[in-house]
Structures are given as structure tokens and as C-alpha cells.
Amino acid sequence: MQGTTKPQEPKVGFNINDLSLEDKNKLVGAFAWLIKEDKKQNPALYQIKKEKND
């Protein structure tokens, strides 16, 4: 008869310090790409807002 095994619980939480330098660079690169693509889709969000002095 097979014994029952308890399924492993997924690790909850994330710590950037646990990543290797290569993985950190990949993560930063992914966010840089996302921002670049978002600028293409929503350029108005990235324009400098000028204050009017009346």
C-alpha cells in the first residue's frame, strides 16, 4: 500500500537579497522593458507637467 504524502506548501514571500546578481539584472531589465513599452502606449503619462504661475 502506498503511503500518503503531504503536498509541499508553496513558499510565500519574496526577498530580493536571495537572488543572484544575474537574476537581479534580469529582473531590472524586465522592468525597464515594461516601462519603455508603457511609454509607447501611454506617452501622456510620462510628459512633464508644467505649473502655471498666474
Side-chain angles (χ1 to χ4, degrees), residues 5-51:
T5 59
K6 185 177 178 183
Q8 289 184 338
E9 297 280 330
K11 184 178 178 183
V12 178
F14 175 77
N15 189 350
I16 192 83
N17 294 327
D18 293 341
L19 295 177
S20 68
L21 183 59
E22 182 180 340
D23 288 339
K24 288 179 187 178
N25 287 336
K26 287 180 183 178
L27 186 62
V28 170
F31 277 101
W33 178 82
L34 284 172
I35 291 170
K36 188 170 98 175
E37 292 298 312
D38 192 50
K39 283 183 182 181
K40 291 179 187 175
Q41 297 290 322
N42 303 303
L45 295 176
Y46 295 91
Q47 292 179 354
I48 298 173
K49 296 179 182 179
K50 297 180 180 177
E51 292 184 22

